[in-house]
Amino acid sequence: MKKEGLVEAVMKAASLPTKKAAQQAVDAVFSTIIRALGRGEEVGVTGFGAFKTAKTKARMGINPKTGERIQIKASVKPKFRAGKELKDAVKK
């Protein structure tokens, strides 16, 4: 399912009058999660999962094409941990 399909599903599930209203709702959820992660906060949705950030340390790596050793910078990456309800739904 792509975003367009998600918008249509939200419109039907929430009995929203228009696709535009559903699009705004979906966009609001995603932008809220993005802003919270940008501030370093964790976003947890009971049963669904948790979004958080994880810091990685600088380290040495190897360029697979050339075999040359390279320095990989430290960074912050988004992470998602699935909740029980989501895990159980996927098992079926």
Side-chain angles (χ1 to χ4, degrees), residues 8-20:
E8 288 187 32
V10 167
M11 183 179 79
K12 290 176 185 171
S15 301
L16 295 172
T18 63
K19 259 190 186 179
K20 185 175 181 178

Side-chain angles (χ1 to χ4, degrees), residues 45-80:
V45 181
T46 304
F48 182 72
F51 297 91
K52 64 181 183 174
T53 57
K55 294 179 183 178
T56 60
K57 296 180 180 180
R59 63 191 190 282
M60 291 300 294
I62 298 175
N63 181 334
K65 271 189 171 178
T66 64
E68 177 187 0
R69 293 180 59 79
I70 56 172
Q71 178 68 28
I72 300 171
K73 296 178 183 178
S75 65
V76 179
K77 300 191 182 322
K79 298 283 185 175
F80 176 74

Side-chain angles (χ1 to χ4, degrees), residues 23-65:
Q23 177 75 45
Q24 289 172 334
V26 169
D27 288 343
V29 169
F30 288 137
S31 64
T32 302
I33 292 170
I34 290 168
R35 282 195 309 275
L37 290 176
R39 291 189 302 264
E41 297 175 18
E42 184 173 326
V43 178
V45 181
T46 304
F48 182 72
F51 297 91
K52 64 181 183 174
T53 57
K55 294 179 183 178
T56 60
K57 296 180 180 180
R59 63 191 190 282
M60 291 300 294
I62 298 175
N63 181 334
K65 271 189 171 178

